Amino acid sequence: MHKLVIIDPGLYEVGGHHAALLNTLAVKEREAAVDITIYSSLHIAEELRDFAARQDLNINPWFDSNFYQYFDEANNFKSTAINTFIRGLALEFKSAIVNALESVAVSDNVIFWYPCVNWEHANALSLALSQLAHSAQYRDYVCSHKVCSMFMSQQPENNRTNLPYETAFKRLNNCSQVEIYAADWELREYLEKLNVGVDGIHPCYLLPWSDLEIVKKESVMAEGSTKTFLLYMGDAKENKGFTMLPSLIKSLSATHLENVKLVVQYTTTWSSPVLEEAEQKLGKLAEQLANLEVHKVFWSVEELVRNLNKTDLIFCTYEPSAYQFKSSGLAWLASFFNTPVVLRGESWLAREFARLQHPFEVSPSLTYSTQLLEKNSSQKSEYRSSLFIEPIDWLYKN
């Protein structure tokens, strides 16, 4: 029996990539038996705990630290508050590792997987592992640690904001049995320029890719047949363009009456007056327009696959400046389902689509060409294939 310990302090809300990983684990038919324990936030949503229990996934609520509390604070990496946070998170990492090892035999090969790590988390983990290296509670076990880096400085030309990334991940390089993986091509290049040792690119874990049976889309649709446009998917956020949905829907409805179905899916974690106003407008439009579907619910794997498989065009309303150096799973989902995309502007998403040779257009007004609708496939490449390896199988084959 393989022993896999997933340490994910960011797993607490119903939405986003943390919850998506939980769904992927639940439906994956594994090649080998894997005993999985997940250490989550102490504040994990009851809905996620209930879901995990129904799927026989062992959730151990553990972390009291607010995982993203200092996410945007690379400029203030020397502040007392951040260093206090890092020390507290280090103690929680250390105690979670020790707790996990209490239930395994010394001869067991245990993989610890950290699916989402930023510089402050890497600092805390390196501190925890350095302390454990001198402890009999840890030394006698055969452990490996696979760390998935997901973020980079939003000012990659600024040496000051690069410093915490360089320092933190180099410290992890110095820890025994630690492997560092980047979420995408650009992030790997970024870390390597900082002289951080990177073991490769880890697969996207939003879906159990190897288990999906995708119905091939018709390359030519019958004249007058209904198309489906996905206008939004994920957490309702201002920098993802949630507030522009009402005007976009009105614009599309004026030009597409009955031949296009408009779909919006979102969850709410953070609230603000402008988001609430947009949500109210969205609700009224859903009552008025027969061709508008609004799903205020987290899509399960089955729902996500069903909806994306019948989507003909994705509108990415993300603010380009916010995603200039920030990755998004939307790029990989669109590529996997061979769905063309309209972007508001140049950003990481445009560069990633270019790397994947996936059809997209950049249009600040979110208009699109007829030719884009006719393009519905990404080009095969080694990089594209590496993103769609099944995560659990990847962990045990590397």
Side-chain angles (χ1 to χ4, degrees), residues 148-160:
C148 293
S149 170
M150 185 173 285
F151 310 103
M152 61 188 287
S153 167
Q154 297 307 289
Q155 303 173 50
E157 303 304 320
N158 185 329
N159 289 334
R160 178 176 172 80

Side-chain angles (χ1 to χ4, degrees), residues 20 48 50-51 55 65 114 134 140 166 184 214 229 267 326 342 344 363 375 377 380:
L48 291 180
D50 292 343
F51 170 79
Q55 302 297 328
S65 298
Y114 309 82
H134 305 288
D140 295 336
E166 179 180 4
D184 64 90
I214 305 302
F229 292 173
T267 54
K326 184 178 179 182
V342 184
R344 281 175 64 189
S363 170
K375 301 175 182 177
S377 64
K380 293 182 179 179

Side-chain angles (χ1 to χ4, degrees), residues 6-56:
I6 301 175
I7 297 189
D8 190 4
L11 177 59
Y12 61 86
E13 65 188 32
V14 183
H17 57 275
H18 298 278
L21 172 59
L22 191 64
N23 273 259
T24 296
L25 294 172
V27 301
K28 168 61 186 166
E29 295 178 7
R30 300 179 187 92
E31 295 177 4
V34 182
D35 179 15
I36 301 176
T37 301
I38 305 165
Y39 285 81
S40 71
S41 168
L42 272 173
H43 313 290
I44 183 172
E46 199 65 35
E47 183 177 338
L48 291 180
R49 294 186 68 170
D50 292 343
F51 170 79
R54 293 195 301 272
Q55 302 297 328
D56 293 324

Side-chain angles (χ1 to χ4, degrees), residues 242-243 246 271-284:
F242 185 80
T243 57
S271 184
S272 71
V274 290
L275 288 175
E276 291 173 2
E277 181 183 358
E279 187 175 13
Q280 291 173 2
K281 291 179 179 178
L282 197 58
K284 291 179 180 178

Side-chain angles (χ1 to χ4, degrees), residues 298-317:
F298 181 77
W299 276 343
S300 67
V301 167
E302 293 79 7
E303 290 168 325
L304 185 62
V305 171
R306 184 173 64 252
N307 281 282
L308 287 181
N309 195 44
K310 62 185 181 183
T311 297
D312 299 286
L313 183 64
I314 293 175
F315 288 75
C316 181
T317 55

